[in-house]
Amino acid sequence: MDPSSYQTMYSFEPIIFPQSENLFPPPTQFQWQGDEHAMYSSSYDYHAISPSVSSKCTASSQDLVDSQLVPIVSFPSSALANALTPTSPASSDTNDTVSISTIFHPEAFPIPDTILSASDGVIFYVNSQIILECCCTAFEEYLAAPLSDPKFRVSVIELDAPSLELNIILHTLYGTSAEAHSPDIETLVKAVDRMPTYGLPPQSLIQPSSPLYNLLLSRAPLCPLDVYALAAHHDLLPLAVSVSSHLLSYDLFAITDAMAKRISATYLKKLMLLHAGRFESLKRILLHPPYHHPPTKVCSLEDQKSLTRAWALVSAYLVWDSRPDLSVHRIQTTLTPLIEHVTCGMCHKILSEKVKDVLVRWASVKCTI
């Protein structure tokens, strides 16, 4: 057979070898203590996911040869790095997975000096100075010691908050927005409710100029009662005032006892007075009909009384079927037909001015608590 009919294919792939004379040491020889893991820094394979990064590190030398490794991040030789270094390796068949936040990670700036662990195991690398500058009592109540204590620089702080909630809290302390993670209203509410247990006062952290204030306000059109109840529960008056305008169309009779208790009597009264006050304002605006002009040959006093009766009927319809969120457009479309059927020039002018006055006065009625 012709040898030229055969081809031999060779493929070469890069192999990462540990810096050791023994190419394949047994698994029992791997003792990850101190900086000994630095020789295997290239064996960390990071795959970014949102909102955390999954870091897989194995103590198997065979994995170093068989896997295509991408050394993106190597842990520095420091106490902060050693805090996450296991003191004894797992079996050669088991992978240890550590989830790290994509925002609060080891390479973040300012350089992190503290590690926080959420209840679901996600790790957050933070700078304690940034946190303490925002709130000097941050986490002090939960840790029974100030965050500035040196012992927290060399150990992982385990918190009882899930990573989604802790992410919002840390964004607030850093003065940044968590909008990129699209947290739902339930997560936002739970994060704010958890703040006092960590020594974080919501009243000082959620101000009109803060990112969390704007994030909560952006959820108000779809979940107005939840945001209002949150603001009322923590006495966040500016937020409650801004959100209350979205509750003009809400049926107050639909508020449950549990929600009413959370809102508290003070803020529930403010909301009820807002609804009742707008009803009273509408009645007061529509109560007085257009004034009469001196009788003329084409428009007698009886003709003007007919216009007054028509105004009373239309006003009664608006008041009876009205809601606190009654729009200016709705009033205009209801009253305008009266003008179209008036033949007297003077009555037409008077009625037009009256309708404009009603629209202006209703638009100026207070629509917040």
Side-chain angles (χ1 to χ4, degrees):
M1 185 175 292
D2 185 4
S4 62
S5 62
Y6 292 88
Q7 276 188 326
T8 301
M9 301 294 294
Y10 294 92
S11 61
F12 297 90
E13 296 183 358
I15 299 177
I16 301 177
F17 295 94
Q19 299 173 4
S20 172
E21 296 178 358
N22 187 0
L23 181 59
F24 300 109
T28 57
Q29 295 183 11
F30 283 85
Q31 298 293 331
W32 292 3
Q33 296 181 357
D35 293 332
E36 293 179 9
H37 69 284
M39 62 186 292
Y40 300 105
S41 62
S42 296
S43 68
Y44 285 86
D45 184 9
Y46 279 74
H47 301 282
I49 59 176
S50 181
S52 62
V53 176
S54 178
S55 155
K56 296 192 289 186
C57 52
T58 65
S60 172
S61 296
Q62 189 63 36
D63 291 339
L64 295 174
V65 178
D66 295 340
S67 302
Q68 292 184 359
L69 303 174
V70 185
I72 298 178
V73 178
S74 59
F75 289 102
S77 176
S78 65
L80 189 64
N82 294 338
L84 283 180
T85 304
T87 56
S88 60
S91 64
S92 59
D93 297 330
T94 304
N95 290 337
D96 295 331
T97 301
V98 178
S99 298
I100 302 177
S101 168
T102 56
I103 302 298
F104 304 96
H105 53 81
E107 303 297 323
F109 183 83
I111 300 174
D113 59 4
T114 305
I115 302 177
L116 305 178
S117 176
S119 61
D120 51 9
V122 179
I123 302 299
F124 295 81
Y125 289 76
V126 297
N127 184 283
S128 60
Q129 190 63 30
I130 295 294
I131 294 177
L132 292 174
E133 286 178 359
C134 179
C135 180
C136 60
T137 60
F139 302 103
E140 183 173 341
E141 184 174 345
Y142 181 83
L143 300 174
L147 187 62
S148 58
D149 194 315
K151 67 181 180 180
F152 297 128
R153 307 289 86 77
V154 294
S155 62
V156 178
I157 301 176
E158 296 184 356
L159 302 175
D160 58 356
S163 58
L164 293 178
E165 298 176 21
L166 185 57
N167 181 62
I168 295 172
I169 293 174
L170 293 178
H171 270 290
T172 302
L173 292 172
Y174 268 65
T176 57
S177 177
E179 177 63 34
H181 304 289
S182 301
D184 55 27
I185 184 62
E186 183 180 358
T187 303
L188 289 170
V189 170
K190 288 182 178 180
V192 176
D193 286 344
R194 195 179 292 275
M195 285 182 178
T197 64
Y198 290 160
L200 305 171
Q203 283 186 329
S204 62
L205 295 176
I206 307 177
Q207 295 291 332
S209 59
S210 66
L212 183 55
Y213 177 96
N214 295 327
L215 185 57
L216 290 169
L217 192 59
S218 68
R219 302 298 190 267
L222 295 179
C223 308
L225 189 62
D226 293 317
V227 181
Y228 183 81
L230 176 68
H233 185 69
H234 296 283
D235 196 19
L236 306 174
L237 183 58
L239 180 61
V241 171
S242 300
V243 175
S244 61
S245 61
H246 297 282
L247 288 169
L248 294 177
S249 59
Y250 195 86
D251 184 7
L252 298 184
F253 291 99
I255 298 179
T256 63
D257 293 344
M259 183 61 75
K261 183 178 180 180
R262 178 173 172 79
I263 293 176
S264 77
T266 301
Y267 281 86
L268 188 59
K269 178 184 176 182
K270 291 177 181 292
L271 189 58
M272 295 179 67
L273 290 178
L274 171 62
H275 281 226
R278 286 182 65 85
F279 278 122
E280 291 300 321
S281 296
L282 182 62
K283 293 178 183 179
R284 192 164 51 249
I285 292 172
L286 296 174
L287 177 62
H288 302 287
Y291 63 88
H292 295 169
H293 63 79
T296 62
K297 293 181 179 180
V298 295
C299 184
S300 64
L301 186 58
E302 291 298 324
D303 295 331
Q304 296 181 52
K305 288 182 179 180
S306 298
L307 179 59
T308 300
R309 287 192 293 269
W311 177 272
L313 288 173
V314 174
S315 299
Y317 167 75
L318 281 173
V319 173
W320 178 263
D321 197 42
S322 69
R323 297 163 41 135
D325 63 336
L326 180 65
S327 66
V328 173
H329 177 73
R330 172 74 183 281
I331 297 177
Q332 185 177 17
T333 55
T334 304
L335 296 178
T336 299
L338 292 177
I339 304 175
E340 297 174 353
H341 293 85
V342 174
T343 57
C344 174
M346 295 182 66
C347 288
H348 189 281
K349 180 180 179 181
I350 293 173
L351 187 57
S352 298
E353 292 176 353
K354 179 63 178 179
V355 171
K356 290 180 181 178
D357 179 67
V358 167
L359 298 179
V360 171
R361 292 177 62 186
W362 177 246
S364 63
V365 173
K366 187 179 180 181
C367 60
T368 62
I369 60 173

